[in-house]
Amino acid sequence: MHAELKQKIEDKKSIIGVIGLGYVGLPLISAFFNKGFKALGFDVDPAKVDALNAGKSYIKHINSKEVTDWRESGRFEATADASRMAEADVLLICVPTPLSDSRDPDLAYVEQTTESIAKTLRKGQLIILESTTYPTTTRDVMLPILEKSGLKAGDDFYLAYSPEREDPGNPDFTAAGIPKVVGGYDPTSLDLATTLYSQAIVKVVPVSSCEVAEACKILENTYRAVNIALVNELKTLFDRMGIDVWEVINAAKTKPFGFQAFYPGPGLGGHCIPIDPFYLTWLARKQGLTTRFIELAGEVNSRMPEYVITRLAEFLNENGKPIKGSKILLLGVAYKKDVDDPRESPSFVLMEELLRRGADLSYNDPHVPKLPKMRHHDLPAMESLELTPESLQEQDCVLIATDHSAYDYEFIVKHARMVLDTRNATVNVASEREKIYKA
């Protein structure tokens, strides 16, 4: 079976099933489709399935023309029917792995998906988890569920882990252009997973186990979280001292060795960096250890929205206004610039706190025309406010939370009464600097 599946992959005759048609799943489909594979997409959301089968994309960096091409080729179909998972030779799992209310890993989506696979699991299939998780998930959580089918991993089916690596909004890094780390349950599974990704990904990096691949993803994102926490903490200190942290970072990054620039902001967003370090602290507690360094970084980053609100209150106070009753326009609800992805965005924390304090709140985001429903945030239905001279002049403060390239910052500063900039977006605005405050 191993040789047969490997040959089928190399001949591009294997069907690639992708479970979870979101910001990770759709780029994966694109990567394999572009290399001649047939793809079958699975999602529990019928709206996503219907949109894709109609040739429409709901993700900015996968355009509708591309999805239309998939459909017209006859090599792609989306479905909500989990029983069709048996049709795929390879199943790539790209489902959410959020945190629970107590900040413990919530593997409900992974477990439910694995249960669905187990019901139709057949001999010769390759199952790969891509969702970000903690080390041992593939072996200790997925494997027992899959083997309830009566089939044995390494003999009847194959199992591997390969962490997703996406950088939404960065045109230099597509799913096909980012090296793939792969760990297998056994050497045969590793060989098949490496062969698979080698057909569509620029470089494959095999490692000795699923656990190493899982830990690699956690390291990558914890590294970023810790370094962002460092500059966030320095920002609060340097603000107190009247030093521009952005100028400090720009000076430091001229050093050609021993320094990598990270930038402060109003908090952490996205589906990885705010979450992954807590997976590691949870795992450490299970081992009877503490990860104080990582936990401290999480605390620093989690405090940043509160710091922004405090600075806003100070600056409004200087102008004789309280937050309560003030008209505040928040720019950007996506978690990073030039994307339409709002997951874990600190903007939602800012909005909740502003509403709690009685602000008259509105928002603008060219990539998010309607405020989406978020799992952990309770906000009223809102639509993006058009930026006009009149709408800007009506605001007591414009708060820049996400520095989208589409914004004309000269225009914004010109017409706003006051701008609170959390991203250094107004650095090149030449006039009316007295209106700009940093946080």
Side-chain angles (χ1 to χ4, degrees):
M1 285 186 298
H2 164 235
E4 182 182 347
L5 179 56
K6 184 170 183 177
Q7 190 63 54
K8 203 172 184 180
I9 291 170
E10 290 175 339
D11 292 342
K12 297 180 173 58
K13 293 181 179 178
S14 57
I15 297 175
I16 311 300
V18 177
I19 305 170
L21 303 178
Y23 291 92
V24 176
L26 285 192
L28 265 181
I29 289 172
S30 177
F32 281 102
F33 178 88
N34 290 338
K35 294 299 182 179
F37 285 89
K38 183 176 181 180
L40 188 58
F42 297 88
D43 204 284
V44 296
D45 184 348
K48 289 182 178 179
V49 169
D50 291 345
L52 293 173
N53 285 334
K56 297 177 182 177
S57 175
Y58 40 81
I59 292 177
K60 180 173 177 285
H61 56 289
I62 299 290
N63 62 53
S64 292
K65 182 183 183 305
E66 186 173 0
V67 177
T68 298
D69 291 344
W70 298 351
R71 292 290 291 145
E72 290 179 349
S73 72
R75 290 192 287 116
F76 170 75
E77 182 184 357
T79 180
D81 184 358
S83 68
R84 295 187 61 190
M85 290 179 185
E87 298 176 25
D89 300 293
V90 178
L91 287 169
L92 306 177
I93 302 171
C94 310
V95 297
T97 47
L99 295 172
S100 69
D101 291 340
S102 59
R103 291 198 171 274
D104 291 340
D106 180 357
L107 296 184
Y109 297 106
V110 171
E111 292 170 344
Q112 291 164 10
T113 300
T114 309
E115 294 278 4
S116 296
I117 294 172
K119 291 176 182 177
T120 61
L121 187 64
R122 59 173 173 81
K123 290 186 177 183
Q125 281 185 302
L126 170 62
I127 315 300
I128 304 177
L129 177 62
E130 290 220 359
S131 304
T132 301
T133 188
Y134 59 85
T136 72
T137 297
T138 307
R139 193 179 306 272
D140 292 351
V141 177
M142 288 186 61
L143 179 61
I145 297 173
L146 292 171
E147 289 193 335
K148 286 194 298 185
S149 66
L151 303 180
K152 300 297 290 182
D155 295 327
D156 301 316
F157 69 94
Y158 311 100
L159 182 63
Y161 180 80
S162 180
E164 59 87 4
R165 280 174 165 172
E166 280 290 307
D167 191 13
N170 187 341
D172 296 329
F173 293 115
T174 62
I178 303 172
K180 265 294 214 178
V181 172
V182 181
Y185 164 75
D186 66 326
T188 303
S189 297
L190 176 61
D191 179 55
L192 285 169
T194 300
T195 301
L196 173 75
Y197 287 117
S198 295
Q199 309 307 308
I201 308 299
V202 63
K203 181 180 180 181
V204 179
V205 183
V207 294
S208 61
S209 67
C210 294
E211 289 78 12
V212 170
E214 290 162 337
C216 169
K217 177 64 172 177
I218 295 290
L219 171 61
E220 292 171 14
N221 290 327
T222 301
Y223 169 80
R224 293 172 66 191
V226 167
N227 280 281
I228 292 170
L230 172 64
V231 293
N232 276 333
E233 190 159 61
L234 288 175
K235 173 185 173 58
T236 62
L237 170 62
F238 291 162
D239 279 352
R240 179 77 57 93
M241 299 174 66
I243 298 172
D244 186 339
V245 68
W246 302 91
E247 186 177 0
V248 173
I249 294 170
N250 287 335
K253 73 180 185 182
T254 61
K255 184 181 180 181
F257 57 91
F259 182 82
Q260 180 180 356
F262 290 84
Y263 298 96
L268 283 185
H271 65 296
C272 285
I273 303 179
I275 293 174
D276 296 0
F278 290 103
Y279 281 6
L280 203 53
T281 58
W282 174 84
L283 190 62
R285 290 197 302 272
K286 287 189 67 178
Q287 300 295 322
L289 300 172
T290 58
T291 50
R292 287 179 291 177
F293 196 73
I294 297 169
E295 291 172 20
L296 178 60
E299 291 174 12
V300 171
N301 289 326
S302 297
R303 286 200 307 263
M304 291 312 293
E306 179 185 346
Y307 175 75
V308 170
I309 298 295
T310 300
R311 296 289 281 174
L312 172 64
E314 292 173 355
F315 297 138
L316 282 171
N317 187 60
E318 290 178 10
N319 290 276
K321 293 180 179 292
I323 290 179
K324 185 175 183 179
S326 289
K327 294 177 71 68
I328 309 295
L329 172 62
L330 186 143
L331 298 188
V333 296
Y335 83 90
K336 64 180 287 191
K337 68 186 295 184
D338 303 340
V339 304
D340 59 350
D341 187 349
R343 288 174 296 175
E344 308 298 329
S345 174
S347 293
F348 294 103
V349 181
L350 292 171
M351 295 174 87
E352 282 181 331
E353 184 60 20
L354 287 169
L355 289 172
R356 189 186 71 81
R357 294 190 181 211
D360 183 355
L361 180 67
S362 55
Y363 89 95
N364 172 277
D365 193 311
H367 305 291
V368 186
K370 292 185 178 181
L371 206 61
K373 291 287 186 183
M374 303 301 292
R375 188 180 295 113
H376 298 298
H377 302 285
D378 184 18
L379 290 166
M382 298 173 68
E383 294 187 3
S384 180
L385 179 70
E386 183 182 0
L387 297 186
T388 66
E390 293 75 23
S391 66
L392 288 167
Q393 288 165 2
E394 289 176 354
Q395 309 303 318
D396 293 298
C397 181
V398 174
L399 196 169
I400 301 172
T402 311
D403 51 334
H404 291 308
S405 300
Y407 288 135
D408 182 340
Y409 293 105
E410 288 275 2
F411 173 84
I412 290 166
V413 172
K414 177 181 178 182
H415 295 289
R417 300 181 193 176
M418 167 184 162
V419 176
L420 182 60
D421 184 0
T422 71
R423 299 283 189 177
N424 203 36
T426 57
V427 62
N428 295 318
V429 174
S431 60
E432 302 189 78
R433 301 293 302 175
E434 71 281 357
K435 293 182 180 179
I436 302 172
Y437 298 82
K438 297 291 184 71

